[in-house]
C-alpha cells in the first residue's frame, strides 16, 4: 500500500466494502453517490478511490456539461468510517483544467488529465502524474512523455495491478474518432502505447474507460454505436480471456439518454462508480454507484468472441479463400487476377485489395518438392478490390504498372498503394475511383509495403537494390536506407517503434527505429531465405523458406529463442494470440499453430500455392454465414 500505514486491518477493509465506501450497497440500478456533498448541483465526474476506500479523488466543474470547453478541477475527500469529508481542491490542482484522476492500486501515484502548459509540448489534454511523498502529500505534476502523450488529446488514464497503463486518445492512426490504448509496464517502465485492437475499437468513438485490478475486465464509454441508448455515450463491458477481448456489450441497465461514462471498479469489482447526465434534458451530471456483481455475472455469461476469418491468397488458382475459423471450414472463394501474391485489408475490415502479380507456380493438385516447382509468367497490370460485405469485386487496371506485388490500404480502403518492381515506383491510388493520385520514386525491385499506424510513413523493400525506401507522405519526400542483401519481408512492431526487415540474400534481420530511421541491430535469421514474419505475444516468428524452419525471437531483447522445423518450405504467415497460420505451398496446406505450445492444432487443405494471408475479426456480422 505504498507509504500509507500498513496496519490497516482486514476488518477495516471489509468494513469499508460493506458500507460501499460510505453508504449502503446498491442494487443493479444506479444510486446517486453522496448527494449534496460529492454529487451536487455542479458537474462531478471521474471518480477514483484508494485501495482501502479511505480516500477519493474526482473532477468538478461549475460550468455546464457538454457545452464548449469546460474547465474542471480535481477534488479530494476522506472517509472516516462513518461519513465523507467535505471535498477540497487537491494540492496539485486548482489552477489549470484538470480532470480524470486515477490513483494506482498501490496508492503511490495519481494519473490525471490536464491542459496545463508544458515545455515539452503545446497545450492539450495530456496525461500527467504526481507521486506520493514519504511524509505525505504529492510531488509536483509531471507530464508523461511522448508517445504516451501525443499532439492530440488523451483521456481517462487508469492502471491494473501489474502497472499497465490504459487510456483513450483521438490521435492519428486509430480506427475511429477515439480509440483505447494500453502501455505495457516493462522492466524499463512505461514506453510505447499499443492500440487495443478492432474488437474493442471501432469506426466511431471509444473514450473514457476503467479496468479491473487484474486487468481482465474493461469498461468504457462508446459514442455513436448502433447499440447505444444515446449517441452521446454509453457504457460497454468486455472481458479478457486467454489474452483476447470479448465483443463489447452495452450495459443496458445503466445507460440513459444522456452521457454515461468514466467507470471505476473497486478493488474486488464489487461496486461500479460512473458518471451520468441521466438524460438529454438533465442539467445535472453526477457520480453514481451500482452493485457490479450482478452486472458482471450477466455479461460474463453472455460474453462472446468475434467470429474470425482467414483470408488466403491462392497463387495458382487465382483466387482468395475465406475460412471460417469457428467451424474450420472453407466458406467462400473469390476470384482475382492471375497470380495473386499479396493481400491488404482495410483497417475497418470492410475491403481487401489483392495485387495480381501474374507470375505463379504451375498448378499441382498433389504435393511437390521445390525441385519440381515450375513457374508460369503472364503479364498482369491490375489489382482486385473485394467488398467483404457482399464479396463483389472490382478490377482496377494500371496500364503502366506491370506485375504489381506489394499492396497496402488505409483505414477505410479509400487509398491503396502498390509497388512497381521494374521502375522502382510506388503508386498511390484512389480506391473508389481507381485513378492514380501520385507516384513516389523508390528504387529498382520495390517489393513489399508496410506503414506506420497513421499511414504518414510508408516503408518499401527494394529487393534488387538492397535498400529500404521511406516515404514521408506529409513532407512528400523519399529517403533510402542501405540494408544487407535481399530485403523483402517487413513488419512494424505493434507499438510502432521498430521496423523489422528480412534480408533473404544475407540471411539477416535488420531492426530499424521508425522515428529516427537508425539501425538498432542486425541479427542472424537462424535460417536460409527469410521472407515473412509476424509479431505475437512479444515474439517474432520469422519464415525461413530454404531451411524449412520458423525462427522465433524475443522482441524485447532481440534475441533468438528457438526454431520450429517444418516438413516442407513455408511461405505465408499470419496470426494472433490464439492461432498462428503458416502456409506450406508445395503441399497446398495451411497449418495452424498454438503460439505458446508451438504445436499444430489443425490444418486447412483447400487452395493451391497459398501465399499472403490476413486474419479478420467480425464483430458486427460483416460477413454473412
Amino acid at each position: 500500500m505504498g507509504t500509507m500505514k500498513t496496519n490497516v486491518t482486514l476488518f477495516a477493509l471489509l468494513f469499508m466494502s460493506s458500507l460501499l465506501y460510505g453508504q449502503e450497497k446498491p442494487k443493479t440500478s444506479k444510486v446517486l453517490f453522496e448527494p449534496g456533498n460529492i454529487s451536487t448541483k455542479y458537474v462531478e465526474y471521474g471518480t477514483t478511490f484508494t485501495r482501502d476506500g479511505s480516500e477519493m479523488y474526482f473532477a468538478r466543474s461549475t460550468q455546464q456539461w457538454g457545452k464548449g470547453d469546460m474547465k474542471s478541477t480535481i477534488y479530494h475527500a476522506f472517509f472516516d468510517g462513518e461519513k465523507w469529508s467535505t471535498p477540497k481542491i487537491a494540492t496539485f490542482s486548482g489552477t489549470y483544467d484538470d480532470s480524470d484522476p486515477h490513483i494506482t492500486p498501490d496508492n503511490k501515484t495519481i494519473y490525471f488529465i490536464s491542459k496545463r502548459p508544458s515545455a515539452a509540448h503545446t497545450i492539450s489534454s495530456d496525461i500527467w502524474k504526481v507521486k506520493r511523498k514519504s511524509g505525505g502529500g504529492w510531488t509536483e505534476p509531471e507530464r508523461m512523455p511522448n508517445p504516451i502523450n501525443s499532439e492530440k488529446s488523451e483521456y481517462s488514464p487508469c492502471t491494473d495491478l501489474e502497472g499497465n497503463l490504459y487510456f483513450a486518445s483521438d490521435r492519428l492512426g486509430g480506427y475511429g474518432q477515439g480509440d483505447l490504448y494500453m502501455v505495457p509496464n516493462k522492466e524499463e517502465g512505461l514506453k510505447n502505447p499499443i492500440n487495443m485492437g478492432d474488437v474493442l475499437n471501432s469506426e466511431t468513438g471509444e473514450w473514457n474507460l476503467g479496468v479491473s485490478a487484474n486487468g481482465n475486465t474493461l469498461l468504457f464509454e462508446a459514442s455513436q454505436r448502433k447499440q447505444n441508448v444515446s449517441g452521446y455515450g454509453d457504457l460497454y463491458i468486455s472481458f479478457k480471456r486467454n489474452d483476447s477481448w470479448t465483443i463489447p456489450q452495452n450495459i443496458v441497465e445503466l445507460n440513459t439518454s444522456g452521457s454515461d461514462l468514466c467507470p471505476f471498479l473497486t478493488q474486488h469489482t464489487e461496486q461500479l462508480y460512473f458518471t451520468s447526465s441521466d438524460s438529454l434534458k438533465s442539467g445535472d451530471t453526477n457520480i453514481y454507484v451500482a452493485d457490479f456483481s450482478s452486472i458482471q455475472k450477466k455479461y460474463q455469461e453472455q460474453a462472446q468472441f468475434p467470429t474470425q476469418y482467414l483470408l488466403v491468397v491462392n497463387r495458382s488458382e487465382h483466387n482468395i479463400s475465406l475460412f471460417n475459423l469457428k467451424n474450420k471450414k472453407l466458406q467462400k472463394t473469390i476470384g482475382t487476377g492471375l497470380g495473386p501474391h499479396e493481400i491488404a485489408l482495410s483497417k475497418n475490415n470492410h475491403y481487401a485489395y489483392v495485387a495480381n502479380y501474374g507470375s505463379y507456380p504451375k498448378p499441382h493438385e498433389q504435393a511437390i518438392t521445390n525441385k519440381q516447382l515450375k513457374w508460369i509468367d503472364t503479364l498482369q497490370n491490375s489489382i482486385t478490390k473485394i467488398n467483404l460485405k457482399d464479396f463483389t469485386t472490382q478490377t482496377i487496371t494500371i496500364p503502366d504498372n506491370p506485375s504489381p506485388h506489394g499492396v497496402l490500404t488505409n483505414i477505410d480502403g479509400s487509398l491503396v498503394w502498390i509497388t512497381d518492381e521494374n521502375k522502382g515506383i510506388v503508386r498511390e491510388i484512389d480506391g473508389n475511383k481507381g485513378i492514380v493520385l501520385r507516384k513516389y520514386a523508390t528504387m529498382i525491385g520495390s517489393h513489399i509495403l508496410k506503414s506506420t499506424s497513421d499511414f504518414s510513413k510508408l516503408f518499401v523493400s527494394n529487393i534488387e537494390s538492397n535498400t529500404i525506401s521511406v516515404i514521408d507522405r506529409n513532407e512528400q519526400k523519399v529517403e533510402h536506407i542501405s540494408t544487407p542483401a535481399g530485403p523483402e519481408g517487413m513488419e512494424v512492431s505493434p507499438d510502432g517503434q521498430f521496423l523489422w526487415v528480412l534480408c533473404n540474400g544475407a540471411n539477416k534481420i535488420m531492426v530499424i527505429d521508425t522515428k529516427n530511421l537508425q539501425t538498432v541491430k542486425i541479427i542472424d535469421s537462424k535460417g536460409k531465405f527469410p521472407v515473412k514474419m509476424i509479431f505475437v505475444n512479444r515474439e517474432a516468428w520469422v519464415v525461413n523458406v530454404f531451411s524449412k524452419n520458423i525462427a522465433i525471437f524475443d522482441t524485447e531483447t532481440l534475441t533468438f529463442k528457438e526454431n520450429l522445423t517444418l516438413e516442407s518450405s513455408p511461405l505465408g504467415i499470419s496470426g494472433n494470440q490464439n492461432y498462428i497460420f503458416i502456409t506450406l505451398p508445395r503441399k497446398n496446406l495451411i497449418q495452424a499453430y498454438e503460439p505458446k505450445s508451438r504445436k499444430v492444432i489443425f490444418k486447412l487443405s483447400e487452395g493451391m500455392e497459398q501465399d499472403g494471408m490476413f486474419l479478420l475479426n467480425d464483430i458486427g456480422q460483416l460477413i454473412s454465414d
Side-chain angles (χ1 to χ4, degrees), residues 2 37 45 83 116 132 177 204 207 259 275 347 374 382 391 450 525 548 584:
N37 185 30
Y45 64 102
K83 64 181 180 179
R116 62 187 65 202
R132 196 184 291 273
Q177 302 162 8
T204 53
W207 307 101
S259 295
T275 299
K347 212 165 185 177
K374 295 182 179 180
S382 68
F391 300 105
K450 298 296 177 180
S525 65
K548 301 179 183 179
L584 304 178

Side-chain angles (χ1 to χ4, degrees), residues 486-551:
E488 183 173 352
M490 299 183 296
E491 283 295 339
V492 178
S493 60
D495 62 9
Q497 188 176 3
F498 301 111
L499 175 72
W500 285 45
V501 183
L502 309 182
C503 304
N504 53 44
N507 299 323
K508 300 292 183 183
I509 301 170
M510 184 176 182
V511 182
I512 300 171
D513 188 305
T514 57
K515 187 174 182 180
N516 59 29
L517 302 182
Q518 297 298 307
T519 300
V520 177
K521 193 174 183 179
I522 296 177
I523 55 181
D524 191 279
S525 65
K526 300 300 181 180
K528 296 181 180 179
F529 211 77
V531 293
K532 294 188 177 184
M533 64 171 293
I534 187 174
F535 292 106
V536 63
N537 298 336
R538 299 186 183 182
E539 292 180 336
W541 288 44
V542 176
V543 173
N544 291 304
V545 176
F546 291 165
S547 53
K548 301 179 183 179
N549 74 288
I550 305 296

Side-chain angles (χ1 to χ4, degrees), residues 1 12-26 32-35 37-38 47-57 77-85 103 105 107 213 264-273 287-290:
M1 296 180 65
L13 289 172
L14 293 173
F15 179 70
M16 297 293 184
S17 177
S18 66
L19 287 180
L20 186 61
Y21 293 166
Q23 60 186 53
E24 294 182 1
K25 187 175 182 179
L32 189 65
F33 178 69
E34 278 289 292
N37 185 30
I38 306 298
T47 311
T48 185
F49 293 88
T50 55
R51 189 171 181 175
D52 65 356
S54 64
E55 297 179 69
M56 69 172 295
Y57 292 81
F78 290 94
F79 183 65
D80 63 8
E82 295 183 1
K83 64 181 180 179
W84 283 98
S85 65
I103 189 163
N107 298 331
F264 175 83
L265 285 173
T266 56
Q267 178 71 17
H268 302 292
T269 65
E270 294 173 346
Q271 288 90 44
L272 168 63
Y273 292 82
I287 296 164
Y288 291 81
V289 61

Side-chain angles (χ1 to χ4, degrees), residues 220-240:
F220 63 92
E221 174 205 3
S223 58
Q224 299 179 2
R225 290 196 177 197
K226 294 179 180 178
Q227 306 95 315
N228 274 28
V229 176
S230 167
Y232 289 91
D234 276 12
L235 288 172
Y236 282 76
I237 188 169
S238 177
F239 303 96
K240 186 167 68 173

Side-chain angles (χ1 to χ4, degrees), residues 399-433:
D400 57 348
N401 197 142
S403 303
H405 189 279
V407 60
L408 175 73
T409 186
N410 64 345
I411 293 175
D412 59 3
S414 60
L415 292 176
V416 59
W417 296 273
I418 60 171
T419 58
D420 185 328
E421 293 183 335
N422 301 315
K423 298 178 182 178
I425 292 174
V426 168
R427 288 177 172 83
E428 183 174 294
I429 298 169
D430 185 311
N432 299 316
K433 298 179 181 179

Side-chain angles (χ1 to χ4, degrees), residues 337-625:
L338 298 181
H341 280 225
E342 301 298 332
I343 182 172
L345 188 66
S346 64
K347 212 165 185 177
N348 64 5
N349 290 342
H350 289 187
Y351 298 97
Y353 285 91
V354 177
N356 301 314
Y357 190 56
S359 181
Y360 56 95
K362 182 179 179 180
H364 57 92
E365 294 185 0
Q366 303 300 319
I368 62 173
T369 65
N370 289 337
K371 291 182 179 180
Q372 294 174 306
L373 182 68
K374 295 182 179 180
W375 286 84
I376 298 173
D377 295 312
T378 305
L379 184 66
Q380 292 283 284
N381 52 12
S382 68
I383 57 177
T384 301
K385 179 179 181 180
I386 303 168
N387 185 323
L388 293 174
K389 180 64 178 177
D390 56 14
F391 300 105
T392 55
T393 62
Q394 174 188 354
T395 299
I396 300 174
T397 301
I398 308 97
D400 57 348
N401 197 142
S403 303
H405 189 279
V407 60
L408 175 73
T409 186
N410 64 345
I411 293 175
D412 59 3
S414 60
L415 292 176
V416 59
W417 296 273
I418 60 171
T419 58
D420 185 328
E421 293 183 335
N422 301 315
K423 298 178 182 178
I425 292 174
V426 168
R427 288 177 172 83
E428 183 174 294
I429 298 169
D430 185 311
N432 299 316
K433 298 179 181 179
I435 60 174
V436 176
L437 299 176
R438 56 184 55 87
K439 302 176 185 178
Y440 296 102
T442 53
M443 299 187 80
I444 299 300
S446 294
H447 203 65
I448 298 295
L449 275 164
K450 298 296 177 180
S451 74
T452 54
S453 61
D454 61 358
F455 303 97
S456 61
K457 287 182 181 177
L458 308 182
F459 304 103
V460 189
S461 62
N462 305 309
I463 192 169
E464 295 178 31
S465 302
N466 300 329
T467 59
I468 294 294
S469 293
V470 182
I471 300 171
D472 189 321
R473 296 183 58 241
N474 293 331
E475 299 292 332
Q476 291 293 296
K477 66 179 183 180
V478 182
E479 181 177 348
H480 307 296
I481 302 172
S482 295
T483 69
E488 183 173 352
M490 299 183 296
E491 283 295 339
V492 178
S493 60
D495 62 9
Q497 188 176 3
F498 301 111
L499 175 72
W500 285 45
V501 183
L502 309 182
C503 304
N504 53 44
N507 299 323
K508 300 292 183 183
I509 301 170
M510 184 176 182
V511 182
I512 300 171
D513 188 305
T514 57
K515 187 174 182 180
N516 59 29
L517 302 182
Q518 297 298 307
T519 300
V520 177
K521 193 174 183 179
I522 296 177
I523 55 181
D524 191 279
S525 65
K526 300 300 181 180
K528 296 181 180 179
F529 211 77
V531 293
K532 294 188 177 184
M533 64 171 293
I534 187 174
F535 292 106
V536 63
N537 298 336
R538 299 186 183 182
E539 292 180 336
W541 288 44
V542 176
V543 173
N544 291 304
V545 176
F546 291 165
S547 53
K548 301 179 183 179
N549 74 288
I550 305 296
I552 302 175
F553 296 86
D554 186 309
T555 57
E556 305 295 323
T557 61
L558 304 183
T559 55
F560 172 70
K561 296 182 72 171
E562 64 178 298
N563 261 331
L564 299 182
T565 302
L566 287 80
E567 59 193 41
S568 182
S569 293
L571 183 57
I573 188 167
S574 186
N576 57 19
Q577 298 92 333
N578 302 313
Y579 308 111
I580 293 182
F581 296 93
I582 299 169
T583 70
L584 304 178
R586 302 296 95 81
K587 297 175 70 68
N588 296 332
L589 185 67
I590 302 169
Q591 295 190 153
Y593 287 78
E594 198 283 316
K596 293 182 179 179
S597 70
R598 325 293 205 203
K599 294 181 179 179
V600 177
I601 49 179
F602 64 89
K603 299 180 181 182
L604 303 171
S605 58
E606 291 84 357
M608 188 181 296
E609 282 288 331
Q610 303 96 331
D611 193 349
M613 293 188 289
F614 246 109
L615 267 177
L616 168 65
N617 287 314
D618 184 9
I619 67 171
Q621 296 300 310
L622 173 67
I623 296 174
S624 300
D625 292 335

Side-chain angles (χ1 to χ4, degrees), residues 195-237:
N195 188 294
M196 295 187 73
D198 61 357
V199 175
L200 298 176
N201 294 311
S202 70
E203 296 174 82
T204 53
E206 286 70 42
W207 307 101
N208 304 282
L209 70 156
V211 67
S212 61
N214 62 12
N216 291 333
T217 302
L218 188 74
L219 295 99
F220 63 92
E221 174 205 3
S223 58
Q224 299 179 2
R225 290 196 177 197
K226 294 179 180 178
Q227 306 95 315
N228 274 28
V229 176
S230 167
Y232 289 91
D234 276 12
L235 288 172
Y236 282 76
I237 188 169

